[in-house]
C-alpha cells in the first residue's frame, strides 16, 4: 500500500486555498519536519553530558543514536492516523463546510466500527498503544510480564508523553490488538497507513539500528525534551506555510526524499530562531585568592580543583544573606557550569520581589561568565502572562518615560518572542525567578518533565533554600534527587546550617547513587561543602576563617504602641539630620497607613513606600528608586525612611542604619537585620505590633523569649546558636505552668501543620528517579482529590492578580490611564497590555469575589487568575464594594477590607 498524503497533521492557522477549503500539512511532512529539527537539537542544543546520558543508556554509538532520536521524534504524532483525529468536528473543511477527511470514509479500507469516531483516546495515547507492538516487531527488547521494564514499551511511552503527560503502562494483551480496546485506532487501511508512515520515517532518517539498552530516567528526560521541543519548533505556523506541498503531491518515496532535504534545510533556521544556541560558561580565572580567608576566597581557591578532580555536583553555602553571599554562589555556579559544559543558569528565589531585585546582579554575572549569545528572562507569576507581549508593553512604557527600568531589564525588548512564552521560557540560557519553577518539575503537573529537561542543561542556584516552609523543603529534597540523577550542578545558599540543610545534602547524595558517609554541613558561619554528582561522595574543604560581612547587631525590643515606637525610633534620624531607616509593617494596609502618618508627623523625614499590592509597574519603579536612595555608598542628603512589608526581606542591595520590624520568627528578623549598614547595625522590634499572617505563632513566641528586652548578637557566628536556642525544648522549662502549657500548644500545632504539609507534599510529589521502575507514567499520575488549588497551596500562598478599570480604562496613579484594548472578534484583552497594571493579591483576601469580567475573558487561560474590578471614584480614591469586600485603590496601592 502506498502512503496516503491526504492524512493531515496540521491545519490550524494555515489559512484557506483559492477554492475556500482549509489548507493542510500532510502528516508525513510534519513527522519529517519534527525528525529534521530533532537532528539539529541533538547536534546543536543538547550538551555533551545530555547526549552521553542517552548514548550510555541505549548502548549505541552516538551517530546511530542521533538517527534513532530523529526517528523517534518523527513518530510522535503517528497516533493522528486514527478515526477520532482525522474526523474530528473541528478539523479542516472544504468550501461547503464538510470535513476534508470525510472522503476517506467511503473508500475501501477506511471503514471503521460503530463508535470509533467517539473513541476518547487522545492521539498521544494512541501513539503509545500502537508503537509498543511495532517496536517489538522490529526487534526492540520487550517483555510480556513487565512491559515497562523493556525498551519497546519505554520508547512508546516516552513518545506518548509529548503532549505533557505520560500515559499508564500498556499490557501485552492490549498492545498486541490495540484496536479491540480502542476502536478509534481503526483497522484495515488505518493500520496499513500507520505502518507505511512508520516505515517511511525510519527509511528516510536511516534509523536501522536496534538498540539493546534500557531507558534510564536521565535518558527519558533528555529524549522527551528533544521530542517535545522539536515538535514545538516544527509546529510554528508561519514556518509551515512556506513548506506547504502543492495540490496533487503524491508522497511517493522520491517525494519524501526531496521533502526531507527541504525539512533539513529549514530545521537549522528554526532552531537558530529560538536564541538558544551558542551559550556556554567561560573558563574560571586561573588566579586564586591565595591566603584569603573570606567565603569568596575559600570557594575560588578550592572549588575549581575539586570540580576538576571529581566533576560537577552540589555546593552548599551557609552565610548571612548579602550581596557578597550571592556573588559567592554565582562564582560557584560559574565553576560548576564550565566543568559540566552547561549552557546557562537558573537563579531561584523565594518570592517574585526578590527575583526582581536580584535581576541586575545575576545579569551582570552573566555578562562576565557566559559566552556566546544568550537570552535572559524574569520568570515568576507577576512578571508576565504572555511574556512577549509584556516585553513590548514594557518597552513602550519606558520609551514614553512612564517607568524607570529595573537594572538588567534591558532583556525585555530583545527577548525572543517564541522563547519567551508558556512552557518554553525555562529553556532560556539565563533565568531569574522563583523556586516554584523548580518545585513544579517534581509535581505531576503538565510538562513537568520539560522543566527537568530545561534544568538538565544548566546550573541551578537556589537562594534562601529554607524559605519555603515544610511543603517546599519536602519537594526540594525530591528535586535534588532528580538533579543528582541528571547530573545537574546545583548551588544552595542558606542562612545557617541545620538538619534541613543536611537532608538536602543527603538527597543529592541519594540521587547520585552515593552510599558513602553522609555529609554534614559545618555549623559555623560562613561555611560551604561539596557533593560530586558522579559518585555522591561528600567533600568538606578547608573552611573560611572570615565572615562575609562580620558585624555586631544591636537588638532593642520595645513594647509601646507600634506607631508611637516607630515615630520615636525615627525621631533620632530627623534630629541628626541624616540616616536611613526601613520600617517593616505586617500588611500593605498597615504600610500605607504608617506612610501617611509619618509623612504628616515627621516633616523633616523623606518617607518612601513600597509593598506587594501596588501595580507591577509602580512596584518595580519604586524598587528601582529604592536602590538609588538606599544602596551602599549612595550619598543621600537628609534623613530618609522606607515603609514596606515582609516582601522586602529577601531583596538585596539595600542598606539601612536602622531596621524597625514587628515580631517575626528569628530567621525573618535576621534576614531583615542583614540589611543593616556598617559594622554595628540596629534592629528595633515592636513587641506589641501585629504579626504577619503567615508567620508561625510558636516561632514568633519563642523568638520573643530568646530576644527578651534586647540583646547584642555577633553576626554571623552567633546565628547558629540563636537558632538552636529558639528551637530548643528546654525553652519551655523557663516558663510558668500556664505560659508553658500555652507555648506547648502552639508547638504542637506547628508540628501538626508541618507533618501534614510534609505528608501531603510527599503524597503529591513524583517518584524519585530510582523509584520509577521503568514506568514513566508515574511522573504524570493523578491522585483523587488533586485539584489545582492543592497544587497552588503546595507552591505557597495562592495569588490572584487584580486589574482595576473605570469605564474601560486602566487605572494608574489615581487616574484612568490607558484604554483597555480588546480583540475585535472575541472581545478579550491582550494579556501583555495588562502586565504593568496587575496587582498581586493573596487569594485569601478575595475569596468569593467573582469580578466583573465577561465569559470570554474568564474563558481565556492566560486570564484565569486575573480578577477584573470596575471601580468608581469616591473621595479621592477608587472604590469597588460588594461580595463581602471593599477595594480601595489610590496612588499608594490597593487595600482590601473585609466587610462585616
Amino acid at each position: 500500500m502506498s502512503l496516503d498524503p491526504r492524512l493531515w497533521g496540521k491545519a490550524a492557522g494555515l489559512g484557506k486555498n483559492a477554492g475556500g477549503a482549509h489548507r493542510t500539512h500532510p502528516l508525513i511532512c510534519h513527522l519529517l519536519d519534527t525528525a529534521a529539527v530533532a537532528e539539529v537539537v541533538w547536534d546543536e542544543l543538547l550538551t555533551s553530558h545530555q547526549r552521553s546520558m542517552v548514548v550510555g543508556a541505549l548502548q549505541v554509538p552516538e551517530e546511530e543514536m542521533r538517527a534513532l532520536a530523529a526517528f523517534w521524534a518523527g513518530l510522535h504524532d503517528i497516533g493522528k492516523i486514527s478515526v477520532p483525529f482525522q474526523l474530528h468536528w473541528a478539523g479542516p473543511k472544504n468550501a461547503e463546510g464538510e470535513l476534508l477527511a470525510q472522503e476517506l470514509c467511503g473508500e475501501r479500507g477506511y471503514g471503521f466500527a460503530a463508535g470509533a469516531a467517539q473513541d476518547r483516546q487522545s492521539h498521544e495515547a494512541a501513539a503509545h498503544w500502537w508503537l509498543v507492538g511495532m517496536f517489538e516487531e522490529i526487534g526492540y527488547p520487550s517483555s510480556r510480564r513487565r512491559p515497562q521494564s523493556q525498551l519497546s514499551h519505554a520508547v512508546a511511552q516516552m513518545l506518548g508523553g509529548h503532549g505533557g503527560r505520560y500515559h499508564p503502562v500498556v499490557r501485552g494483551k492490549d498492545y498486541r490488538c490495540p484496536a479491540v480496546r480502542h476502536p478509534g485506532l481503526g483497522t484495515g487501511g488505518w493500520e496499513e497507513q500507520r505502518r507505511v508512515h512508520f516505515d517511511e520515517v525510519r527509511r528516510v532518517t536511516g534509523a536501522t539500528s536496534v538498540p539493546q539498552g534500557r531507558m534510564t530516567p536521565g535518558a527519558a528526560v533528555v529524549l522527551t525534551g528533544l521530542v517535545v521541543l522539536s515538535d514545538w519548533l516544527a509546529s510554528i505556523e508561519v514556518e509551515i506555510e512556506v513548506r506547504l506541498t502543492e495540490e496533487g503531491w503524491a508522497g511517493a518515496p522520491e517525494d519524501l526524499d526531496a521533502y526531507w532535504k527541504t525539512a533539513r534545510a529549514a530545521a537549522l533556521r528554526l532552531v537558530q530562531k529560538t536564541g538558544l544556541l551558542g551559550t556556554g560558561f567561560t573558563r574560571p580565572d586561573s588566579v586564586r585568592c591565595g591566603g584569603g580567608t573570606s567565603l569568596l576566597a575559600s570557594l575560588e581557591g578550592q572549588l575549581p580543583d575539586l570540580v576538576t578532580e571529581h566533576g560537577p555536583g552540589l555546593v552548599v553555602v551557609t552565610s548571612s544573606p548579602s550581596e557578597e553571599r550571592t556573588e559567592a554562589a554565582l562564582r560557584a555556579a560559574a565553576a560548576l557550569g564550565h566543568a559540566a559544559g552547561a549552557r546557562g543558569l537558573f537563579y531561584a528565589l523565594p518570592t517574585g520581589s526578590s527575583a526582581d531585585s536580584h535581576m541586575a546582579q545575576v545579569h551582570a554575572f552573566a555578562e562576565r561568565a557566559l559566552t556566546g549569545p544568550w537570552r535572559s528572562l524574569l520568570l515568576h507569576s507577576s512578571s508576565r502572562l504572555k511574556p512577549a507581549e509584556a516585553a513590548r508593553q514594557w518597552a513602550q512604557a519606558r520609551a514614553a518615560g512612564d517607568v524607570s527600568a529595573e537594572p538588567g531589564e534591558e532583556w525585555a525588548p530583545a527577548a525572543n518572542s517564541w522563547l519567551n512564552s508558556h512552557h518554553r521560557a525555562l529553556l532560556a540560557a539565563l533565568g531569574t525567578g522563583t523556586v516554584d519553577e523548580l518545585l513544579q518539575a517534581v509535581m505531576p503537573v503538565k510538562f513537568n518533565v520539560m522543566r527537568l529537561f530545561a534544568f538538565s542543561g544548566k546550573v541551578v542556584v537556589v537562594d534562601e533554600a529554607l524559605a519555603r516552609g515544610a511543603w517546599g523543603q519536602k519537594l526540594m529534597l525530591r528535586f535534588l534527587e532528580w538533579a543528582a540523577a541528571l547530573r545537574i550542578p546545583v548551588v544552595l545558599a542558606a542562612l545557617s546550617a541545620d538538619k534541613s540543610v543536611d537532608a538536602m545534602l543527603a538527597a543529592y547524595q541519594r540521587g547520585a547513587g552515593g552510599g558513602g558517609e553522609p555529609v554534614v554541613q559545618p555549623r559555623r558561619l560562613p561555611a560551604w561543602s561539596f557533593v560530586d554528582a558522579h559518585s555522591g561522595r561528600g567533600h568538606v574543604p578547608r573552611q573560611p576563617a572570615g565572615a562575609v560581612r562580620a558585624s555586631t547587631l544591636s537588638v532593642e525590643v520595645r513594647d509601646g504602641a507600634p506607631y508611637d515606637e516607630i515615630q520615636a525610633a525615627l525621631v533620632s534620624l530627623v534630629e541628626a539630620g541624616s540616616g536611613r531607616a526601613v520600617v517593616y509593617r505586617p500588611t500593605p494596609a498597615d504600610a500605607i497607613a504608617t506612610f501617611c502618618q509619618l509623612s504628616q508627623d515627621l516633616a523633616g523625614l523623606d518617607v518612601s513606600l513600597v509593598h506587594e499590592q501596588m501595580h507591577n509597574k509602580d512596584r518595580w519603579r519604586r524598587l528601582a528608586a529604592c536602590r538609588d536612595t538606599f544602596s551602599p555608598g549612595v550619598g543621600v542628603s537628609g534623613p530618609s525612611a522606607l515603609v514596606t512589608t515582609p516582601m522586602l526581606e529577601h531583596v538585596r542591595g539595600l542598606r539601612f542604619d536602622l531596621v524597625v520590624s514587628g515580631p517575626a520568627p528569628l530567621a525573618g528578623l535576621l534576614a531583615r537585620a542583614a540589611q543593616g549598614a556598617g559594622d554595628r547595625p540596629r534592629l528595633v522590634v515592636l513587641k506589641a505590633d501585629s504579626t504577619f499572617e503567615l508567620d508561625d505563632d510558636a516561632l514568633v513566641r519563642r523568638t520573643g523569649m530568646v530576644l527578651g528586652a534586647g540583646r547584642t548578637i555577633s553576626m554571623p557566628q552567633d546565628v547558629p546558636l540563636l537558632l538552636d536556642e529558639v528551637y530548643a525544648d528546654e525553652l519551655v522549662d523557663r516558663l510558668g505552668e500556664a505560659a508553658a502549657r500555652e507555648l506547648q500548644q502552639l508547638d504542637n500545632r506547628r508540628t501538626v501543620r508541618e507533618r501534614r504539609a510534609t505528608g501531603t507534599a510527599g503524597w503529591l510529589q513524583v517518584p524519585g528517579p530510582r523509584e520509577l521502575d521503568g514506568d514513566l507514567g508515574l511522573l504524570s499520575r493523578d491522585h483523587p482529590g488533586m485539584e489545582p488549588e492543592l497544587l497552588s497551596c503546595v507552591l505557597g500562598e495562592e495569588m490572584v492578580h487584580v486589574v482595576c478599570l473605570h469605564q474601560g480604562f486602566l487605572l494608574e496613579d489615581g487616574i484612568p490611564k490607558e484604554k483597555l484594548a480588546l480583540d475585535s472578534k472575541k472581545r478579550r484583552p491582550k494579556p501583555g497590555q495588562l502586565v504593568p497594571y496587575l496587582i498581586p493579591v493573596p487569594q485569601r483576601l478575595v475569596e468569593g469575589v467573582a469580578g466583573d469580567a465577561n465569559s470570554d475573558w474568564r474563558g481565556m487561560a492566560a486570564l484565569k487568575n486575573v480578577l477584573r474590578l470596575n471601580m468608581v471614584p469616591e473621595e479621592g480614591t477608587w472604590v469597588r464594594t460588594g461580595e463581602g469586600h471593599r477595594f480601595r485603590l489610590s496612588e499608594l496601592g490597593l487595600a482590601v477590607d473585609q466587610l462585616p
Side-chain angles (χ1 to χ4, degrees):
M1 186 177 187
S2 60
L3 185 142
D4 191 341
R6 294 175 300 172
L7 294 166
W8 63 278
K10 294 288 180 182
L14 301 183
K16 297 181 180 181
N17 62 21
H22 285 109
R23 295 193 294 180
T24 62
H25 195 45
L27 176 61
I28 186 63
C29 293
H30 175 59
L31 301 186
L32 294 180
D33 288 341
T34 307
V37 174
E39 285 187 337
V40 180
V41 171
W42 178 273
D43 292 338
E44 305 292 340
L45 190 55
L46 295 189
T47 66
S48 59
H49 167 63
Q50 288 173 316
R51 290 193 295 269
S52 68
M53 273 198 295
V54 177
V55 169
L58 278 295
Q59 299 177 17
V60 293
E62 183 165 331
E63 187 59 33
E64 292 182 21
M65 190 60 245
R66 175 183 184 270
L68 282 170
F71 170 47
W72 294 343
L75 296 176
H76 75 288
D77 266 354
I78 204 162
K80 289 183 175 180
I81 306 178
S82 60
V83 179
F85 183 86
Q86 291 296 319
L87 298 180
H88 193 274
W89 63 268
K93 300 176 177 64
N94 60 23
E96 287 72 40
E98 299 170 336
L99 290 173
L100 293 177
Q102 195 67 42
E103 65 178 281
L104 297 175
C105 300
E107 297 183 9
R108 183 179 178 183
Y110 281 117
F112 48 85
Q118 285 73 47
D119 192 339
R120 297 176 63 86
Q121 187 182 45
S122 67
H123 77 270
E124 296 96 342
H128 176 180
W129 276 58
W130 187 78
L131 284 171
V132 181
M134 281 303 300
F135 287 137
E136 185 179 273
E137 276 189 31
I138 64 174
Y140 287 21
S142 62
S143 170
R144 294 188 179 188
R145 295 185 61 187
R146 298 188 68 255
Q148 73 272 24
S149 67
Q150 298 298 325
L151 196 62
S152 57
H153 185 278
V155 178
Q157 190 176 37
M158 181 269 294
L159 292 175
H162 77 268
R165 291 187 180 278
Y166 297 114
H167 301 277
V169 172
V170 182
R171 304 295 170 182
K173 61 184 177 63
D174 291 323
Y175 70 69
R176 286 183 173 80
C177 300
V180 173
R181 287 284 302 275
H182 286 286
L185 279 166
T187 56
W190 299 99
E191 174 68 14
E192 291 178 4
Q193 283 300 318
R194 283 192 292 271
R195 288 177 175 271
V196 171
H197 279 68
F198 181 96
D199 291 340
E200 287 296 342
V201 173
R202 192 182 192 198
R203 178 187 67 82
V204 171
T205 57
T208 56
S209 62
V210 176
Q212 297 299 312
R214 54 187 292 269
M215 185 71 75
T216 61
V221 168
V222 174
L223 287 170
T224 298
L226 176 141
V227 170
V228 173
L229 179 56
S230 300
D231 180 31
W232 285 348
L233 287 166
S235 300
I236 298 175
E237 294 157 1
V238 294
E239 295 289 341
I240 293 175
E241 286 184 290
V242 303
R243 299 193 302 276
L244 286 177
T245 56
E246 297 180 356
E247 290 189 28
W249 186 78
E254 58 272 18
D255 296 326
L256 298 182
D257 292 338
Y259 187 84
W260 179 238
K261 293 179 181 178
T262 300
R264 275 180 145 178
L268 181 58
R269 182 179 71 253
L270 283 170
V271 179
Q272 287 173 335
K273 279 192 171 185
T274 65
L276 296 174
L277 301 183
T279 306
F281 278 86
T282 60
R283 181 179 298 277
D285 295 337
S286 58
V287 179
R288 301 283 187 264
C289 302
T293 61
S294 69
L295 173 63
L296 189 58
S298 177
L299 273 166
E300 289 191 319
Q302 299 177 74
L303 182 60
D305 293 335
L306 283 172
V307 171
T308 299
E309 181 178 357
H310 303 288
L314 168 72
V315 173
V316 177
V317 177
T318 45
S319 178
S320 298
S322 65
E323 287 186 292
E324 293 91 340
R325 188 185 75 179
T326 300
E327 184 63 23
L330 289 170
R331 296 282 184 91
L336 296 174
H338 180 265
R343 61 165 193 82
L345 174 139
F346 181 76
Y347 200 100
L349 293 130
T351 65
S353 297
S354 54
D356 294 342
S357 72
H358 279 68
M359 185 77 175
Q361 190 172 1
V362 174
H363 199 91
F365 157 80
E367 291 181 334
R368 302 191 309 269
L370 295 184
T371 62
W374 46 270
R375 291 283 187 262
S376 174
L377 299 183
L378 187 61
L379 300 172
H380 60 78
S381 62
S382 295
S383 70
R384 70 185 194 279
L385 291 180
K386 284 190 174 179
E389 295 180 3
R392 288 194 293 272
Q393 290 292 328
W394 197 236
Q396 291 169 8
R398 283 165 43 192
D402 291 338
V403 61
S404 301
E406 277 288 289
E409 276 184 358
E410 294 77 11
W411 58 270
N416 181 276
S417 60
W418 180 88
L419 177 64
N420 194 5
S421 180
H422 305 298
H423 304 286
R424 302 188 288 261
L426 280 174
L427 295 167
L430 184 66
T432 308
T434 53
V435 74
D436 299 351
E437 306 290 347
L438 300 179
L439 302 186
Q440 290 179 77
V442 292
M443 297 168 66
V445 298
K446 197 172 184 181
F447 289 111
N448 56 347
V449 175
M450 278 303 291
R451 291 176 177 271
L452 288 173
F453 170 70
F455 296 132
S456 70
K458 295 182 179 179
V459 183
V460 172
V461 179
V462 184
D463 203 332
E464 297 297 344
L466 301 178
R468 294 308 299 263
W471 293 97
Q473 289 174 31
K474 181 71 173 180
L475 291 168
M476 181 59 69
L477 298 182
R478 182 51 45 89
F479 173 78
L480 289 171
E481 281 187 62
W482 273 97
L486 296 171
R487 305 295 189 260
I488 301 173
V490 178
V491 181
L492 301 178
L495 168 66
S496 180
D498 60 11
K499 291 186 291 186
S500 298
V501 173
D502 294 340
M504 292 181 182
L505 286 161
Y508 199 86
Q509 284 186 290
R510 188 164 55 249
E517 289 293 320
V519 182
V520 176
Q521 182 74 5
R523 292 314 194 242
R524 64 181 298 276
L525 296 179
W528 66 283
S529 60
F530 173 66
V531 173
D532 74 80
H534 179 70
S535 69
R537 287 182 53 226
H539 311 271
V540 180
R542 299 186 309 276
Q543 292 302 307
V548 171
R549 187 165 65 90
S551 61
T552 301
L553 174 65
S554 172
V555 182
E556 181 182 352
V557 179
R558 301 184 180 182
D559 57 5
Y563 179 74
D564 293 342
E565 296 291 4
I566 292 170
Q567 186 176 9
L570 297 177
V571 163
S572 59
L573 274 67
V574 176
E575 292 175 346
S578 64
R580 297 176 291 187
V582 60
V583 179
Y584 280 92
R585 304 297 285 127
T587 69
D590 292 325
I592 292 172
T594 301
F595 169 80
C596 293
Q597 286 181 281
L598 289 175
S599 299
Q600 180 178 342
D601 296 343
L602 296 179
L605 186 69
D606 181 13
V607 188
S608 306
L609 172 71
V610 64
H611 60 83
E612 59 269 35
Q613 285 174 205
M614 291 177 160
H615 288 118
N616 280 343
K617 184 164 61 171
D618 193 27
R619 187 177 65 258
W620 289 332
R621 179 176 60 206
R622 288 172 182 251
L623 282 171
C626 287
R627 274 190 287 277
D628 292 337
T629 305
F630 300 107
S631 293
V634 174
V636 179
S637 59
S640 56
L642 173 63
V643 182
T644 188
T645 60
M647 65 157 279
L648 199 77
E649 67 185 31
H650 297 300
V651 172
R652 300 285 185 270
L654 306 180
R655 287 290 178 268
F656 304 95
D657 302 300
L658 172 66
V659 178
V660 181
S661 171
L666 182 62
L669 289 178
L670 292 177
R672 298 168 196 179
Q675 297 172 329
D679 57 1
R680 298 192 65 82
R682 295 175 55 207
L683 171 65
V684 172
V685 179
L686 310 175
K687 185 176 182 179
D689 200 7
S690 302
T691 58
F692 181 47
E693 190 168 352
L694 298 182
D695 284 342
D696 182 84
D697 291 337
L699 293 180
V700 172
R701 180 75 59 86
R702 284 172 164 269
T703 299
M705 293 173 61
V706 168
L707 294 180
R711 63 190 296 172
T712 300
I713 302 171
S714 296
M715 300 283 285
Q717 56 263 39
D718 286 353
V719 171
L721 302 175
L722 274 174
L723 289 170
D724 288 343
E725 190 176 347
V726 165
Y727 281 95
D729 294 336
E730 296 77 15
L731 197 62
V732 179
D733 300 336
R734 304 181 191 174
L735 305 175
E737 183 177 351
R741 187 184 308 113
E742 182 182 3
L743 181 57
Q744 190 64 60
Q745 288 175 343
L746 293 175
D747 285 339
N748 290 341
R749 290 174 192 166
R750 184 184 80 248
T751 301
V752 168
R753 282 195 302 272
E754 289 180 350
R755 288 180 178 174
R756 183 186 297 128
T758 301
T760 306
W763 163 78
L764 182 63
Q765 68 188 358
V766 302
R770 301 182 186 280
E771 300 168 8
L772 288 182
D773 193 28
D775 182 9
L776 299 177
L778 297 177
L779 297 176
S780 302
R781 79 211 189 293
D782 285 330
H783 297 294
M786 191 182 72
E787 303 295 337
E789 292 76 14
L790 178 59
L791 297 180
S792 299
C793 180
V794 173
L795 293 173
E797 185 172 24
E798 185 176 3
M799 304 294 290
V800 297
H801 291 95
V802 172
V803 58
C804 300
L805 301 103
H806 175 69
Q807 296 180 352
F809 282 86
L810 294 157
L811 295 173
E812 181 187 0
D813 293 333
I815 58 173
K817 186 71 174 179
E818 181 180 347
K819 181 72 173 178
L820 182 65
L822 299 177
D823 181 279
S824 59
K825 293 182 179 179
K826 297 184 178 180
R827 306 297 297 165
R828 298 189 302 200
K830 295 180 179 180
Q833 183 193 21
L834 300 179
V835 171
Y837 299 94
L838 294 179
I839 302 172
V841 176
Q843 174 68 48
R844 57 187 164 80
L845 296 183
V846 293
E847 289 288 352
V849 179
D852 304 308
N854 57 31
S855 58
D856 290 330
W857 177 304
R858 293 194 186 100
M860 192 174 184
L863 300 178
K864 64 181 180 180
N865 287 323
V866 175
L867 186 65
R868 168 177 166 160
L869 299 178
N870 290 317
M871 316 289 283
V872 296
E874 182 180 299
E875 298 179 357
T877 62
W878 295 91
V879 177
R880 197 266 200 192
T881 304
E883 299 160 331
H885 294 78
R886 180 178 173 86
F887 296 86
R888 294 178 289 111
L889 178 70
S890 70
E891 68 276 9
L892 300 179
L894 181 71
V896 184
D897 302 321
Q898 187 93 27
L899 298 178

